[in-house]
């Protein structure tokens, strides 16, 4: 492991905004995020697969009356997001280093207000279909930890993942598609819903002329 990564992991271990394996708070905050972590009752929004944390930080900066969490398994990415939040002086954002399939160990039923999935790995091979973040087992997890009526958002450049997600939602009892578009920036009326905060991936694909797909939905 490089020295820079070692320094970043050491910094993560000292940052109270980062919840990760080895810390006392890991797996002890389910049902306690409001009281013990954020110390307020503001609604909590989770970004699953937050990468470098640009979207999580962007949401936290835009909505100071909310709480925001970025989830990723990579400690180096978590360090970048938490550093960005520190540079901006944000106190309403935190980070959870874990895998998406372990969500139920970290959140109580109905604890979250909203979930964002921004530019996830599309897992295009059929053998990886169960790893897609909109596969039914993940939707079950999201539904479990979201409050009734809580919304989910997916932004992606990938046509295959977008089609798969729409088909999965259409086949799921109780799922409701609230809004969708295959070209977000050609659908300006949806931009307020989709939050025009752009990650590195989003800027890259827009520069290449790749349309950004977006769907907002509920599970019940």
């Amino acid at each position: 492991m490089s020295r820079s990564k070692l320094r970043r992991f050491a910094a993560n271990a000292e940052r109270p905004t980062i919840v990760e394996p080895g810390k006392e708070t890991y797996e002890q905050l389910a049902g306690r995020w409001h009281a013990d972590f954020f110390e307020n009752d503001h609604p909590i929004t989770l970004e699953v697969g937050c990468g470098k944390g640009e979207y999580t930080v962007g949401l936290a900066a835009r909505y100071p009356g909310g709480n925001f969490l970025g989830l990723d398994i990579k400690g180096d990415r978590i360090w970048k997001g938490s550093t960005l939040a520190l540079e901006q002086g944000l106190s309403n954002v935190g980070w959870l280093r874990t895998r998406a399939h372990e969500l139920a160990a970290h959140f109580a039923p109905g604890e979250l207000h909203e979930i964002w999935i921004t530019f996830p790995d599309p897992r295009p091979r059929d053998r990886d279909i169960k790893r897609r973040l909109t596969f039914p087992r993940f939707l079950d997890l999201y539904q479990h930890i979201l409050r009734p009526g809580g919304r989910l958002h997916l932004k992606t450049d990938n046509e295959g993942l977008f089609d798969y997600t729409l088909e999965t939602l259409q086949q799921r009892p109780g799922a409701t598609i609230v809004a969708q578009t295959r070209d977000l920036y050609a659908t300006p009326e949806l931009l307020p819903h989709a939050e025009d905060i752009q990650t590195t991936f989003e800027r890259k694909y827009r520069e290449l002329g790749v349309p950004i797909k977006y769907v907002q939905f509920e599970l019940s």
Side-chain angles (χ1 to χ4, degrees):
M1 186 181 296
S2 69
R3 289 183 178 178
S4 63
K5 278 195 173 182
L6 288 172
R7 287 195 297 268
R8 291 176 178 184
F9 291 163
N12 286 355
E14 297 299 322
R15 292 181 178 177
T17 57
I18 297 176
V19 178
E20 62 180 356
K23 290 190 175 182
E24 185 178 351
T25 52
Y26 191 71
E27 290 193 350
Q28 292 187 7
L29 284 169
R32 304 291 306 170
W33 284 94
H34 284 109
D36 294 349
F37 188 84
F38 289 109
E39 297 182 351
N40 62 53
D41 59 358
H42 300 162
I44 300 173
T45 295
L46 173 71
E47 183 186 3
V48 178
C50 67
K52 297 177 183 179
E54 299 155 295
Y55 214 83
T56 300
V57 170
L59 289 170
R62 181 169 292 184
Y63 299 106
N67 297 320
F68 298 89
L69 284 170
L71 178 150
D72 206 283
I73 191 57
K74 299 290 187 179
D76 195 46
R77 297 174 184 170
I78 291 288
W79 177 87
K80 290 177 181 177
S82 65
T83 298
L84 183 60
L86 286 170
E87 289 172 349
Q88 295 188 26
L90 298 172
S91 60
N92 62 332
V93 59
W95 311 91
L96 174 60
R97 187 164 74 84
T98 193
R99 298 183 186 277
H101 66 259
E102 297 173 342
L103 280 168
H106 297 281
F107 298 99
E111 191 165 17
L112 298 181
H113 181 84
E114 206 164 21
I115 292 175
W116 282 85
I117 308 167
T118 54
F119 299 91
D121 187 333
R123 308 289 183 185
R125 295 179 296 185
D126 287 343
R127 69 182 186 183
D128 287 337
I129 188 172
K130 292 183 178 180
R131 301 176 69 187
R132 295 174 186 167
L133 289 180
T134 53
F135 185 73
R137 70 162 177 162
F138 286 110
L139 297 182
D140 290 343
L141 284 172
Y142 305 149
Q143 183 174 347
H144 178 72
I145 61 179
L146 273 172
R147 68 179 177 86
R151 292 193 175 180
L152 298 98
H153 309 258
L154 169 70
K155 291 176 81 174
T156 180
D157 63 290
N158 189 272
E159 194 83 27
L161 177 63
F162 190 71
D163 288 341
Y164 169 80
T165 301
L166 294 182
E167 291 170 6
T168 301
L169 292 173
Q170 288 162 359
Q171 295 169 9
R172 185 182 179 90
T176 302
I177 295 175
V178 178
Q180 63 171 299
T181 178
R182 293 183 180 273
D183 191 348
L184 179 59
Y185 289 88
T187 319
E189 64 271 20
L190 286 186
L191 277 174
H193 297 280
E195 302 300 347
D196 54 346
I197 301 161
Q198 294 186 28
T199 65
T200 300
F201 280 115
E202 187 161 352
R203 288 191 295 272
K204 170 187 173 182
Y205 291 124
R206 289 199 68 202
E207 289 170 2
L208 293 172
V210 177
I212 304 303
K213 293 82 177 168
Y214 168 73
V215 58
Q216 179 183 155
F217 57 100
E218 296 179 3
L219 303 171
S220 60

